[in-house]
Amino acid sequence: MTYTAAAVTGVVVAVLIDVFVLRSRIVLGRVFWCTYPIIFGFQLLSNGILTGRGVVLYNPDDILGVRLVYAPVEDLAFGFALIVLTLSLWVRLSAASRPGPDPSEPPAPPR
């Protein structure tokens, strides 16, 4: 599998897990899309340092060759998938850890 195919698969799987498995639906919210450019900017910065200085090299046969600054688009796709999965899990696990009403207690009388 090429790096490109793996990146596309990662994005599709992350979005499907977010929307249908964990049901946190991060990618459907406006807050995510308003804040993602901040993350994206730092991703471009770190990718630019690592790939621009030759710390990380890619086999040209395994990537599309399209780069934004120095970052191959596949790296940006993997970063997107990582952020979506991390936030989805965080939202889901934090919702599960919030205390809810105790079902053994009788309901409070109406006022």
Side-chain angles (χ1 to χ4, degrees):
M1 176 182 291
T2 66
Y3 196 57
T4 304
V8 170
T9 302
V11 168
V12 169
V13 168
V15 170
L16 290 175
I17 288 173
D18 173 53
V19 175
F20 297 109
V21 176
L22 297 175
R23 295 184 180 159
S24 50
R25 294 178 173 85
I26 294 294
V27 296
L28 301 180
R30 191 176 87 175
V31 171
F32 174 78
W33 293 107
C34 287
T35 57
Y36 186 71
I38 297 167
I39 297 165
F40 187 75
F42 282 104
Q43 187 180 4
L44 283 176
L45 177 66
S46 61
N47 247 299
I49 292 169
L50 293 173
T51 57
R53 294 182 174 248
V55 175
V56 178
L57 302 172
Y58 298 93
N59 181 350
D61 297 332
D62 292 334
I63 63 173
L64 290 174
V66 178
R67 292 178 181 256
L68 189 57
V69 186
Y70 289 102
V73 293
E74 292 87 351
D75 266 4
L76 302 173
F78 271 126
F80 176 83
L82 175 68
I83 295 301
V84 168
L85 279 177
T86 301
L87 291 176
S88 296
L89 283 168
W90 184 5
V91 166
R92 184 66 170 173
L93 292 174
S94 66
S97 68
R98 262 187 244 129
D102 186 357
S104 64
E105 288 185 23
R111 293 183 176 192

